[in-house]
Amino acid sequence: MEDLITLRALRYLQKADHIFAPNNRGKRRAYEVIKDFIDEEKVIFVDFPMGEAMKAIYEKTFDVIDRTTKDGELSVFITLGDGTIYATLIEVLRERGKSDIALELVPGIPAFLAGINALIESLVLKGESFLLLDRLPFEEDLKADTVAVLKAREPERLFEHLEKCGYDPLYLENIETDRWVMTDDVEKCRDRKTYMSLILARRRPWNMAEISKHIGGRIRLL
Amino acid sequence: MEDLITLRALRYLQKADHIFAPNNRGKRRAYEVIKDFIDEEKVIFVDFPMGEAMKAIYEKTFDVIDRTTKDGELSVFITLGDGTIYATLIEVLRERGKSDIALELVPGIPAFLAGINALIESLVLKGESFLLLDRLPFEEDLKADTVAVLKAREPERLFEHLEKCGYDPLYLENIETDRWVMTDDVEKCRDRKTYMSLILARRRPWNMAEISKHIGGRIRLL
């Protein structure tokens, strides 16, 4: 996964005076991705107990970054995927208040894009639409041609709802890691509760025979 | 924009025996992005008269790649943005028939992500949804919290429809180029017919004063 970093991100990491890295109850996933590219001594871990409501923690984090960064210095705050998509990074920046610190965001590859690319399938063909969610709206119909549901902690409920709406769902877990697995069989993902998971569902059915040919040693089929 | 290439893409470009680059009526946008990283002699341009229905051209292109690539060789087909999103690249791969060529797709940064990152705004916060389209479904209501409409050739109709649905629309053009412009004023984009354009619309209104502070010299406000 570390080679999905952009040249722009690499340049900033190497120029940085300080690198802020999230620590979620001992998990330091974003740091693990970049650790071979950077000077260890620049890293400052910031604690995020993932999943909790934490406006005060976001505020405090921005404040620490702001105070640590002296005039003329460059600080980098790292995140997995893209910082504008369900990310702690943008939550922290939203609490910047009246700070006069100059900001720039570097776009990254989100998990749903890494996932669909590995399948050698289309996310959207011309005229189609794509919907991104971090939970299903169970109460209503979905109309998009392709749907991605992130953090798919109850795959069996999601599979059931998506199939009822006319979709063919696929479960993917730990994308771009050496524990990357997937399945189109709800029985094989029913009891999995992995945070780093998503469901890709498309109206045009997946061709599993073709997909299996291309995922090779990268993705294990459950 | 060339520094939004990933390290993985760069490695394949530098290892490639052949690099196939789209030529759309003389425009070679993807090639312009990578030309400083590669050996010119490896480049083979393939013609795509953009916008036309072209199954036969996609088939012929795959056939050319297949025949050019000898046993043990590596060919790279380049695209702007991400190859699974409204891209010629995935259309060509869909016409691969029974070819035994081994395939791998490298994910890239799509324009809507480069756009939202430059604004230092969220695409989706926790609990929100995002809808990606290449044309509006004028007949129906939109429910997502954020919407991106690509190739926004009739910005005035799109602004009107999105505002009626409760969104705050922004027009962006030539993202990540030196002709990058944007506006939140429909009067200023009414007659623009640029292919490389998109509209980002959000239910939570954009803070234009804050956005203007951060786009600096990169984006010109119309």
Side-chain angles (χ1 to χ4, degrees), chain A residues 3 5 7-8 11 82 84 86 96 117 123-124 127-130 132 134-135 140 143 176 210, chain B residues 3 5 7-8 11 82 84 86 96 117 123-124 127-130 132 134-135 140 143 176 210:
Chain A
D3 62 352
I5 280 188
L7 301 185
R8 187 180 297 173
R11 191 179 72 236
D82 180 88
T84 70
Y86 304 128
R96 63 186 179 264
N117 273 273
L123 189 77
V124 271
E128 291 185 342
S129 57
F130 165 66
L132 178 68
D134 66 347
R135 61 192 167 97
E140 58 181 311
K143 294 197 177 99
E176 285 283 340
E210 191 65 26
Chain B
D3 62 352
I5 280 187
L7 301 184
R8 187 179 297 173
R11 192 178 73 235
D82 180 88
T84 70
Y86 305 127
R96 62 186 181 265
N117 273 273
L123 190 76
V124 271
E128 292 186 340
S129 57
F130 165 66
L132 178 68
D134 65 348
R135 61 192 167 97
E140 58 180 311
K143 296 197 178 97
E176 285 284 339
E210 192 64 27

Side-chain angles (χ1 to χ4, degrees), chain A residues 96-103, chain B residues 207-216:
Chain A
R96 63 186 179 264
K98 302 247 172 271
S99 164
D100 63 351
I101 204 163
L103 298 175
Chain B
N207 182 338
M208 285 304 286
E210 192 64 27
I211 288 173
S212 307
K213 270 203 288 185
H214 295 291
I215 58 178

Side-chain angles (χ1 to χ4, degrees), chain A residues 49-62:
Chain A
M50 206 182 258
E52 290 175 29
M54 318 185 291
K55 190 171 154 61
I57 297 180
Y58 296 143
E59 264 179 47
K60 199 182 124 211
T61 304
F62 187 86

Side-chain angles (χ1 to χ4, degrees), chain B residues 86-205:
Chain B
Y86 305 127
T88 300
L89 188 145
I90 195 75
E91 300 279 5
V92 168
L93 293 187
R94 276 162 58 82
E95 303 304 335
R96 62 186 181 265
K98 301 247 173 268
S99 163
D100 63 352
I101 206 163
L103 297 176
E104 183 179 334
L105 280 188
V106 178
I109 308 288
F112 71 86
L113 268 192
I116 191 80
N117 273 273
L119 309 181
I120 325 271
E121 287 280 344
S122 62
L123 190 76
V124 271
L125 297 176
K126 291 170 182 57
E128 292 186 340
S129 57
F130 165 66
L131 182 67
L132 178 68
L133 304 157
D134 65 348
R135 61 192 167 97
L136 271 192
F138 282 97
E139 67 286 353
E140 58 180 311
D141 246 23
L142 295 171
K143 296 197 178 97
D145 298 286
T146 308
V147 176
V149 188
L150 268 61
K151 296 161 194 174
R153 289 204 222 207
E154 293 181 286
E156 69 285 7
R157 285 182 69 204
L158 297 171
F159 264 63
E160 190 188 332
H161 188 81
L162 288 162
E163 284 171 351
K164 208 186 314 177
C165 292
Y167 293 94
D168 189 8
L170 275 183
Y171 173 86
L172 293 102
E173 187 182 289
N174 291 316
I175 289 172
E176 285 284 339
T177 73
D178 51 10
R179 290 161 295 119
W180 190 347
V181 297
M182 65 174 281
T183 185
D184 63 343
D185 181 351
V186 68
E187 295 308 322
K188 294 188 174 155
C189 60
R190 181 179 291 279
D191 297 318
R192 302 185 80 92
K193 303 213 180 310
T194 309
Y195 182 80
M196 305 293 284
S197 60
L198 66 84
I199 286 175
L200 282 172
R202 219 174 52 180
R203 293 204 182 275
R204 275 182 293 118

Side-chain angles (χ1 to χ4, degrees), chain B residues 11-35:
Chain B
R11 192 178 73 235
Y12 281 131
L13 284 168
Q14 295 184 332
K15 275 173 54 182
D17 297 293
H18 314 284
I19 297 171
F20 293 87
N23 174 34
N24 304 103
R25 300 175 191 161
K27 295 220 166 90
R28 301 164 168 197
R29 295 188 184 94
Y31 165 77
E32 295 295 329
V33 176
I34 61 151
K35 67 177 187 218

